[in-house]
Amino acid sequence: MAGAQGSASAKVCRDPFSSVPPVRVGMKQSVVRPPTETDVARLAGVSQSAVSRAFTPGASVAEQTRTKILEAAQELGYQPNLMARSLATRRSNIVALAISSLENPFYAQVVKELSHRLAETNRHILLFATSPEVEADPALERVLSYQVDALILTATTAPFELALHCQKAGIPIVQINRASKLPGISTVSGENRRAGERVAAFLLAGGHKRFGYIGGGVASSIGKERQDGFTEHLRIKGVRTVQVAFGEYTFEGAAAAARELLGSAAPPDAIFCASDYMAFAVLDVARREFGLNVPGDVSVIGFDDVPEAGHSAYDLTTYSQPAAALVAEAIKIIDIRIARPQGRAIRREVRGEIVVRGSARVPIG
Amino acid sequence: MAGAQGSASAKVCRDPFSSVPPVRVGMKQSVVRPPTETDVARLAGVSQSAVSRAFTPGASVAEQTRTKILEAAQELGYQPNLMARSLATRRSNIVALAISSLENPFYAQVVKELSHRLAETNRHILLFATSPEVEADPALERVLSYQVDALILTATTAPFELALHCQKAGIPIVQINRASKLPGISTVSGENRRAGERVAAFLLAGGHKRFGYIGGGVASSIGKERQDGFTEHLRIKGVRTVQVAFGEYTFEGAAAAARELLGSAAPPDAIFCASDYMAFAVLDVARREFGLNVPGDVSVIGFDDVPEAGHSAYDLTTYSQPAAALVAEAIKIIDIRIARPQGRAIRREVRGEIVVRGSARVPIG
DNA sequence: TCACATATTGAATACGCATGCAAAGGTGTG
DNA sequence: CACACCTTTGCATGCGTATTCAATATGTGA
């Protein structure tokens, strides 16, 4: 609807001084094809291959001819055609990035970080914003067509078919923040199990009695680890039951989950959420819909430590999962796997810690 | 080298029960090159050109041979090599997207929307997450190398050089939410001036007396329009002064700007922010650092209407700027310009409206 | 049945770059 | 001075697909 409204009423903004006709009209300046290595070669008086070598680090060119070539290239405004280069070298310097929850600030951070880190080695990102509902995005299947050097998935998992194809083609796959049972798929994540344990300990020390957990999807393997760490530590300490609900990693889903938990007969006085983004929804529901005081009536702890968690509107106590470190590991893994495509999958965990803010009662003493 | 190293120093990860040798050793399952049209042609008993035509919509192929070819392709798992295709057709089906403030949920929305809309026509996004400080990102200059079909900029502006190159090469540029004086650059934005006017009217009707405006950058043309609409409407209604500060469209910047305004001798009782994201910072500062009641002591109005504005932690009154509509217009423009590369720049405005929530006093009656 | 328009097909080539190979030039050693 | 050796260069070819052109097959009407 918004789209229809927008396009229907869009008005073209004309120059107010319309009596003066724009000079450019009629010049037509037809579209010019960009210069090629052959053009540069002609100008520099060398062969095309020489030009290619001048732009290939480590190739054999005399310093003198190289500068001559670079000058000619400069003069023509030459830029290597990466499509042609990719075709010849079978490497595109493009990394495909599939992501499902861009609205979650944590993943926005990941994307940003990835873009910067990859740019340092002259690589770029082909972005696939998949829908969380759709497991196997048809667009993703086309990844192979682009001859990407690697595939990074965040907040999604690679469908079996894709994983198989990539393995055959020697394209490394790394999943950030999603586990995988498939062979050949590397993963990077925060310390999920340990996070669950430490949050449980923190909340116990804070004197909480009834515990809730709001996870992502029932099938979320990563979330499962957090949940297991959380509930098992509690059980060891004598807590029998943990109320569990799932928010599908969405804001609305988490809000519904919060309503379920907080509206129950014996509502929890401590809730651990599988992501900060969901924790925000829980805070909203607890305060506005249930009129609860946080952390007086209920403590809420998140996971990720996104920048917003530090904003005073939320002031969320959380377990950190540093995006920069995750990304750094992911890129390291990619480079290893590119060097040895037939190697085996690599799994890494990045350390985090409890970041104490104001949304959970603090252990006394 | 990698291979040599691999065989020399690669250690086989042994099972602790090492009496059983790992099955996979020696199988080496070497990386296989993906099938090409020639492979498909051979299997189907036709020529390579026939295969190409089978995959080219509108090409001349007998229905019978086409199905034969498609079956062969299916069997081999053939996927067209888009690099090669791009080289031959000079079209990549790739759109470059440069964006500077991915942490701002509004732009995250734009990216997501763009990705979905472009995927509908089989196009993909090459992402450049530029730094807001750097006007001319060196990575961006390399856009031309990728033979992208178009360039979309959001929250950034194209440096002069790039704009020139793109114009010569016939690559359309569209800026979302940034004006441009450069010829040949199309733009899409919300109704900035009108938004400023209507917000001013709304606040006046709410009985506010002292007005503040927190803009993005001093040089932000788009922000300037909002500011002008705001201040001019106020002046017409007899308000002489508007306190102005700039937050550079960042959270921290906006927080500093809020401190400046709220800490002044006669602090405003109404603040209009050039983006929701900055408004969130203002709310934080007003409530926590100044202990102010919103909207009792001070009203805050944002711009964009991002999803978070509706969350009760903020409950922000704002002027909407529908991301979906902006994106739809941007793509329309791109398609027009791709069809006629030597045409002139197109400027569009997408309608918005005041979204009344709880962060500003409402006009009575 | 024949001339002719149409539909299909394959051979050949172009797209822009990388690279193996051999030729040419230069250096140093014996 | 002959030789081996290294550096620099150009030629030729390949990467996988699109497309032109000519050739063939098919169908139409008279």
Side-chain angles (χ1 to χ4, degrees), chain B residues 9-318:
Chain B
S9 65
K11 8 178 198 176
V12 179
C13 300
R14 277 172 219 269
D15 195 276
F17 310 94
S18 54
S19 58
V20 183
V23 187
R24 284 298 177 81
V25 163
M27 288 190 60
K28 257 216 156 168
Q29 184 79 20
S30 72
V31 174
V32 63
R33 299 207 335 204
T36 71
E37 286 191 343
T38 309
D39 298 323
V40 177
R42 198 168 336 169
L43 178 59
V46 296
S47 72
Q48 173 263 323
S49 13
V51 179
S52 172
R53 284 193 268 261
F55 283 94
T56 306
S60 167
V61 209
E63 199 47 43
Q64 185 184 350
T65 45
R66 145 169 279 137
T67 56
K68 189 170 60 181
I69 290 172
L70 291 186
E71 279 168 13
Q74 177 74 28
E75 184 175 336
L76 292 179
Y78 168 76
Q79 297 260 89
N81 181 326
L82 295 189
M83 296 294 170
R85 179 177 286 180
S86 302
L87 185 59
T89 61
R90 306 158 167 296
R91 297 202 51 202
S92 61
N93 274 7
I94 291 181
V95 172
L97 173 59
I99 187 168
S100 86
S101 331
L102 207 50
E103 67 279 359
N104 181 334
F106 178 72
Y107 293 112
Q109 241 187 312
V110 167
V111 171
K112 195 172 177 176
E113 200 67 36
L114 263 175
S115 174
H116 288 152
R117 289 292 86 73
L118 287 173
E120 288 170 1
T121 46
N122 251 314
R123 290 182 281 189
H124 292 292
I125 290 180
L126 197 64
L127 186 74
F128 295 77
T130 66
S131 305
E133 317 85 57
V134 187
E135 152 88 2
D137 193 305
L140 244 189
E141 295 290 339
R142 245 169 278 131
V143 160
L144 296 170
S145 300
Y146 279 102
Q147 313 295 107
V148 299
D149 294 347
L151 174 52
I152 301 181
L153 305 177
T154 86
T156 357
T157 58
F160 179 71
E161 283 291 323
L162 220 210
L164 207 62
H165 280 163
C166 285
Q167 187 161 34
K168 273 206 298 193
I171 300 173
I173 300 183
V174 176
Q175 291 184 355
I176 295 182
N177 226 354
R178 279 288 186 285
S180 174
K181 276 151 291 186
L182 271 43
I185 294 190
S186 302
T187 60
V188 184
S189 65
E191 359 171 52
N192 297 301
R193 187 174 189 90
R194 184 152 169 280
E197 292 168 3
R198 297 207 46 195
V199 167
F202 183 84
L203 289 172
L204 277 172
H208 298 85
K209 299 299 179 196
R210 297 179 308 282
F211 299 85
Y213 172 81
I214 293 184
V218 188
S220 163
S221 48
I222 287 265
K224 190 68 182 154
E225 288 177 39
R226 289 174 203 158
Q227 183 182 352
D228 286 351
F230 187 63
T231 55
E232 280 195 22
H233 184 89
L234 288 175
R235 186 170 41 198
I236 290 169
K237 299 296 181 183
V239 177
R240 294 254 174 65
T241 61
V242 173
Q243 296 181 56
V244 175
F246 295 96
E248 304 302 331
Y249 291 115
T250 67
F251 195 89
E252 283 310 322
R259 283 179 205 113
E260 188 183 326
L261 258 52
L262 295 173
S264 70
D269 63 348
I271 299 179
F272 176 36
C273 302
S275 80
D276 283 358
Y277 189 60
M278 293 200 293
F280 296 153
V282 174
L283 287 175
D284 266 19
V285 168
R287 287 174 177 149
R288 185 166 63 176
E289 300 182 17
F290 287 82
L292 296 174
N293 180 289
V294 176
D297 301 319
V298 59
S299 289
V300 176
I301 292 189
F303 188 91
D304 284 341
D305 192 28
V306 298
E308 281 77 358
H311 297 172
S312 69
Y314 293 121
D315 196 30
L316 181 71
T317 294
T318 188

Side-chain angles (χ1 to χ4, degrees), chain A:
Chain A
M1 200 196 81
Q5 183 194 24
S7 49
S9 61
K11 17 177 189 176
V12 177
C13 304
R14 276 175 222 267
D15 191 285
F17 309 93
S18 53
S19 60
V20 182
V23 187
R24 284 298 178 78
V25 163
M27 289 191 61
K28 259 216 158 166
Q29 184 80 17
S30 73
V31 174
V32 61
R33 301 216 323 214
T36 70
E37 285 192 344
T38 310
D39 298 323
V40 177
R42 198 168 336 169
L43 179 58
V46 296
S47 72
Q48 174 263 323
S49 17
V51 179
S52 173
R53 291 193 180 97
F55 283 93
T56 306
S60 168
V61 210
E63 199 47 44
Q64 185 184 350
T65 47
R66 147 169 277 137
T67 57
K68 190 170 59 182
I69 290 172
L70 291 186
E71 279 169 12
Q74 176 75 26
E75 185 175 335
L76 293 178
Y78 168 77
Q79 297 262 88
N81 181 327
L82 295 189
M83 296 294 170
R85 178 178 289 179
S86 302
L87 185 59
T89 60
R90 304 158 165 297
R91 298 201 52 203
S92 60
N93 274 8
I94 291 181
V95 172
L97 172 60
I99 187 167
S100 87
S101 333
L102 207 50
E103 67 279 0
N104 181 333
F106 178 72
Y107 293 111
Q109 242 187 311
V110 168
V111 171
K112 196 173 176 174
E113 200 66 37
L114 263 175
S115 174
H116 288 151
R117 289 289 87 73
L118 288 173
E120 287 170 2
T121 46
N122 250 315
R123 290 182 281 190
H124 291 292
I125 291 180
L126 197 64
L127 187 75
F128 295 77
T130 67
S131 305
E133 316 87 56
V134 187
E135 153 88 0
D137 193 304
L140 244 190
E141 295 290 337
R142 245 168 278 131
V143 160
L144 296 170
S145 299
Y146 279 102
Q147 314 294 107
V148 299
D149 293 348
L151 175 51
I152 301 180
L153 304 177
T154 87
T156 356
T157 58
F160 180 70
E161 283 290 324
L162 220 210
L164 206 63
H165 279 162
C166 284
Q167 186 160 35
K168 274 206 299 195
I171 299 174
I173 300 185
V174 176
Q175 291 184 356
I176 295 182
N177 225 354
R178 279 288 186 284
S180 173
K181 275 150 289 187
L182 271 42
I185 293 191
S186 302
T187 60
V188 183
S189 65
E191 358 170 53
N192 298 301
R193 186 171 191 93
R194 185 153 170 280
E197 292 167 3
R198 299 207 45 195
V199 167
F202 183 84
L203 289 171
L204 278 172
H208 298 85
K209 299 298 179 196
R210 299 179 307 284
F211 299 84
Y213 172 81
I214 293 184
V218 188
S220 163
S221 48
I222 286 265
K224 189 71 182 152
E225 288 178 37
R226 288 173 205 160
Q227 182 182 353
D228 286 352
F230 186 64
T231 55
E232 280 195 20
H233 185 89
L234 288 175
R235 185 172 43 198
I236 290 171
K237 298 299 181 182
V239 177
R240 295 256 173 62
T241 61
V242 173
Q243 296 181 58
V244 174
F246 295 96
E248 304 303 331
Y249 292 115
T250 66
F251 195 91
E252 283 311 323
R259 284 181 203 109
E260 188 183 327
L261 258 52
L262 295 173
S264 70
D269 64 348
I271 300 179
F272 176 36
C273 302
S275 79
D276 283 358
Y277 189 59
M278 293 200 294
F280 295 153
V282 175
L283 288 176
D284 265 19
V285 168
R287 288 175 177 150
R288 185 166 63 177
E289 299 182 17
F290 287 83
L292 296 174
N293 181 288
V294 177
D297 301 319
V298 59
S299 289
V300 176
I301 291 190
F303 189 90
D304 284 340
D305 192 28
V306 298
E308 281 77 359
H311 296 172
S312 69
Y314 293 120
D315 196 31
L316 181 71
T317 294
T318 187
Y319 197 92
S320 67
Q321 176 173 238
L326 284 181
V327 165
E329 283 302 323
I331 292 182
K332 238 186 259 173
I333 290 178
I334 281 179
D335 290 337
I336 292 174
R337 300 298 317 282
I338 286 179
R340 305 213 297 111
Q342 67 284 66
R344 48 193 319 174
I346 300 171
R347 316 252 149 125
R348 289 273 162 76
E349 256 191 19
V350 170
R351 299 215 68 164
E353 60 187 7
I354 291 191
V355 179
V356 179
R357 296 204 182 86
S359 70
R361 293 208 298 276
V362 179
I364 23 183

